[in-house]
Amino acid sequence: ERFLTMRIDCHRDVARVYVNGKETDVMLWEPYETEIGHLLASGKNEIRIEVTNTLINLLEAKTQESGLFHASIVPYNIHTLSL
């Protein structure tokens, strides 16, 4: 069985991923990964990533980078072993 994972680098922000209008996950901390394979259709697909920064800048009284720095789709396979 084949799966596809969306990996996002958004530091300490909150990330929300949508595939073809359906929300996959809300990611609050590392690892920023979500399974998207089951939502993909054959042909064109729309992937939307929303990144929202948290109150960390206000609470820690310092400026930190914010936003989407990198996103990738990583294929992987799951293998079941019988012991």
Side-chain angles (χ1 to χ4, degrees), residues 47-60:
I47 297 174
R48 187 173 86 228
I49 303 169
E50 295 178 356
V51 177
T52 306
N53 52 348
T54 63
L55 293 174
I56 196 75
N57 292 344
L58 178 65
L59 296 174
E60 292 188 359

Side-chain angles (χ1 to χ4, degrees), residues 36-51:
I36 64 169
H38 63 287
L39 295 173
L40 295 173
S42 58
K44 290 185 179 183
N45 291 275
E46 178 185 3
I47 297 174
R48 187 173 86 228
I49 303 169
E50 295 178 356
V51 177

Side-chain angles (χ1 to χ4, degrees), residues 8-79:
I8 297 170
D9 180 8
C10 63
H11 294 289
R12 297 167 78 175
D13 294 337
V14 176
R16 194 179 296 248
V17 176
Y18 298 85
V19 176
N20 297 323
K22 296 179 182 174
E23 184 176 6
T24 64
D25 212 350
V26 176
M27 296 167 280
L28 305 173
W29 49 76
E30 296 279 348
Y32 291 97
E33 296 182 351
T34 184
E35 170 59 38
I36 64 169
H38 63 287
L39 295 173
L40 295 173
S42 58
K44 290 185 179 183
N45 291 275
E46 178 185 3
I47 297 174
R48 187 173 86 228
I49 303 169
E50 295 178 356
V51 177
T52 306
N53 52 348
T54 63
L55 293 174
I56 196 75
N57 292 344
L58 178 65
L59 296 174
E60 292 188 359
K62 60 183 178 181
T63 302
Q64 298 188 29
E65 291 184 308
S66 180
L68 180 64
F69 298 96
H70 181 75
S72 61
I73 298 174
V74 182
Y76 67 95
N77 294 312
I78 292 180
H79 303 279

